[in-house]
Amino acid sequence: MDLFDQKKENKSLTSLIFERIREDILNGRYIPGDKLVEIKLADELGVSRTPVREALKQLELDGLVDNIPNRGVVVKGITPEDIDDILMIRLCIEGLVGQWAAERIDDSEIKELQEIFDLMEFYTSKGDVEKIFELNTRFHETLYKATKSRYLEGVLKDFQLFIRQSRNNSLKTEGRIEFALEEHRAILSALKNHDQENTRKALTKHISASNINIKHLIK
């Protein structure tokens, strides 16, 4: 167990436990209907029950578990309906990301995005979907950071996490990585010119294409 090693990130033990259990839910280790027993989790993680209890409360606030009377804490997970809602909300606010990022991005962030894009181009030629997925996440999180809005960044990073598996599966469909690369090229080109309208359009087009692909997979 490496929870205590991760304390170097200056996160509380409750936060680390929350992130670990959330990861297990989103990765499918715990599936909808599974019961999360406080004392059992504490034993598995090698911690006291108090931070586990607090972590489970956070997971309930996130909508990933339900605390049901006479049953305890039960995994709810992310349903296809949840994914559909997230995709629609994300599409509506990603245009704002494009506008604010184009307006507020600095030279170091443009350089970082260019480096990420160059790696995406290389791994696309190799057909390495797992590496592209990792780089795609980095590209978008750098965009969120460039908006200089911690609220917008926080919401969209959570969305990225909640639909991670669906996004990964989407990139595996035939031809998607090549189309996605060109979509990212257009976003980066508009950002370099600090062109708010074209960045908004390019990013919205990219998210829309991604959403269509994901929806096709979950139907």
Side-chain angles (χ1 to χ4, degrees):
M1 191 66 207
D2 60 354
L3 279 176
F4 295 99
D5 291 341
Q6 294 178 40
K7 291 284 280 183
K8 62 180 180 292
E9 299 179 8
N10 296 318
K11 293 182 179 179
S12 70
L13 186 56
T14 296
S15 293
L16 293 173
I17 294 168
F18 162 76
E19 290 175 2
R20 176 60 59 88
I21 300 173
R22 181 178 63 179
E23 182 81 9
D24 287 340
I25 292 172
L26 295 176
N27 282 341
R29 182 186 174 200
Y30 300 125
I31 62 174
D34 282 352
K35 189 174 178 181
L36 298 180
V37 181
E38 186 181 296
I39 191 168
K40 182 179 178 182
L41 287 168
D43 286 343
E44 288 178 357
L45 298 173
V47 298
S48 70
R49 294 173 64 176
T50 300
V52 172
R53 186 180 306 121
E54 293 304 313
L56 292 176
K57 288 178 182 177
Q58 290 184 26
L59 288 164
E60 185 179 6
L61 290 173
D62 262 12
L64 292 175
V65 303
D66 282 328
N67 194 342
I68 303 173
N70 302 318
R71 281 197 66 193
V73 178
V74 176
V75 173
K76 186 177 179 183
I78 299 293
T79 67
E81 291 75 22
D82 292 332
I83 292 174
D84 203 44
D85 286 350
I86 289 170
L87 294 180
M88 179 59 70
I89 297 167
R90 186 183 176 205
L91 180 61
C92 290
I93 60 179
E94 285 274 5
L96 185 59
V97 171
Q99 288 179 248
W100 284 359
E103 177 187 4
R104 302 170 182 177
I105 197 165
D106 59 41
D107 290 344
S108 66
E109 289 163 337
I110 289 176
K111 181 181 178 183
E112 184 178 356
L113 284 171
Q114 182 65 62
E115 290 171 351
I116 295 169
F117 177 81
D118 290 344
L119 288 170
M120 291 175 75
E121 192 168 36
F122 172 78
Y123 284 107
T124 297
S125 71
K126 301 294 183 184
D128 189 336
V129 177
E130 294 303 323
K131 193 66 180 178
I132 294 165
F133 176 72
E134 175 190 324
L135 292 164
N136 180 62
T137 299
R138 283 178 54 196
F139 188 97
H140 284 275
E141 290 188 352
T142 303
L143 264 181
Y144 303 154
K145 182 178 68 175
T147 67
K148 310 299 188 288
S149 170
R150 61 192 177 99
Y151 298 108
L152 193 59
E153 181 179 1
V155 167
L156 285 165
K157 285 178 76 172
D158 277 349
F159 282 175
Q160 290 263 89
L161 181 66
F162 290 158
I163 62 170
R164 178 176 56 194
Q165 193 58 53
S166 296
R167 289 169 47 237
N168 195 1
N169 291 339
S170 171
L171 284 173
K172 292 176 181 177
T173 59
E174 186 176 358
R176 180 58 196 150
I177 58 173
E178 289 82 9
F179 283 118
L181 180 70
E182 294 311 310
E183 290 159 10
H184 284 94
R185 191 191 306 277
I187 295 166
L188 182 56
S189 176
L191 279 168
K192 287 179 177 178
N193 293 321
H194 296 275
D195 186 330
Q196 294 182 48
E197 181 60 16
N198 280 329
T199 303
R200 182 190 67 77
K201 287 180 178 178
L203 188 54
T204 301
K205 179 180 178 181
H206 168 60
I207 298 302
S208 179
S210 175
N211 285 3
I212 290 169
N213 216 30
I214 291 172
K215 286 182 179 181
H216 176 74
L217 291 172
I218 63 175
K219 294 304 182 185

